[in-house]
Amino acid sequence: MVVRCTLSAVGLLSTLYGPTCLYAWLTVPGLLKRRWLDVLEDLLADLDRGMQHSMPAGGAAVTYSKPRLANFWYYARVELVPPAPAEIPKAIEGATNIIKGFQTGRLGQTTVKDALRNGLVATEVLMWFYIGECIGKGGIVGYNV
Amino acid sequence: MVPPVAVSPLIKTARYSALIAGIIYGKRRYDHLKPIAAEERRIEEEEKKVREEQERIAKQLAEDSILK
């Protein structure tokens, strides 16, 4: 019973909760804006649902994933779009702001909370490089030469 | 539901340029490693042939001396 619970929890967290708001997880601003109680509640609701019945299969998967897909697109259309060409100068401006802040010493005044948050966002941005590498090499683990 | 957050343009450009840089890097590394792996496979094949030839000769010699 315990093993079944843990297995279903692990499987569910990667499949049920994933499509629900995958990028609200991965996109740090989306996750941090939510109340942690709501996040916990969603996780427990998924666990509960999973323990009642096993994974959906076949046609049921389509009806199952439709609302989750809609939810995913609801967030992705705003948070995951590539930058419009007009936004690129703003991005360069933001980068120069950071460099200036570093030079004036203003960056020394950031709070720990802000520093952690920025570190997390920077890590997420860097991880996209590895996703690109996986796409470029045509595989997830290792190079299939 | 929480409304989606407006992501800053700096983060957006950084993400997508990192993605494109990763794709380019992955493709170039793969193209660099592929001929090296093919060469290693070829050398392995040749050495295997030579080894099997020597084993065959050794076996022949062993059979000849024991049985006769």
Side-chain angles (χ1 to χ4, degrees), chain A residues 41-110:
Chain A
E41 202 179 300
D42 282 340
L43 284 172
L44 290 174
D46 284 342
L47 264 176
D48 203 24
R49 240 179 299 141
M51 283 202 273
Q52 288 168 13
H53 43 73
S54 53
M55 310 293 234
V62 177
T63 44
Y64 174 82
S65 58
K66 258 210 182 53
R68 278 155 184 78
L69 213 57
N71 198 7
F72 166 71
W73 282 120
Y74 171 67
Y75 285 111
R77 242 176 313 154
V78 178
E79 293 186 359
L80 283 185
V81 286
E87 290 184 352
I88 299 183
K90 275 192 255 176
I92 300 175
E93 189 188 316
T96 44
N97 270 345
I98 292 180
I99 297 175
K100 264 191 284 182
F102 184 65
Q103 284 170 338
T104 58
R106 183 171 54 88
L107 284 190
Q109 305 296 326
T110 45

Side-chain angles (χ1 to χ4, degrees), chain A residues 27 29 34 71 74-75 78-83 87-88 91 98 121 124-125 128-129 132-133 136-137 143-145, chain B residues 1-7 9-16 18-19 21-23 25-27 29-30 33-34 37 41:
Chain A
T27 312
R34 303 188 69 203
N71 198 7
Y74 171 67
Y75 285 111
V78 178
E79 293 186 359
L80 283 185
V81 286
E87 290 184 352
I88 299 183
I98 292 180
V121 173
E124 187 222 338
V125 168
W128 280 54
F129 173 82
E133 192 191 348
K137 68 185 175 182
Y143 287 81
N144 300 324
V145 281
Chain B
M1 271 201 309
V2 185
V5 166
V7 186
L10 172 61
I11 296 180
K12 279 197 271 193
T13 34
R15 272 188 194 150
Y16 278 93
L19 185 73
I23 294 177
Y25 171 77
K27 187 95 185 39
R29 185 104 188 116
Y30 180 78
L33 289 176
K34 205 164 159 69
R41 263 195 292 255

Side-chain angles (χ1 to χ4, degrees), chain A residues 2 15 38 59 63 67 70 76 80 85 88-89 116 139:
Chain A
V2 173
T15 57
D38 290 332
T63 44
L80 283 185
I88 299 183
L116 283 176

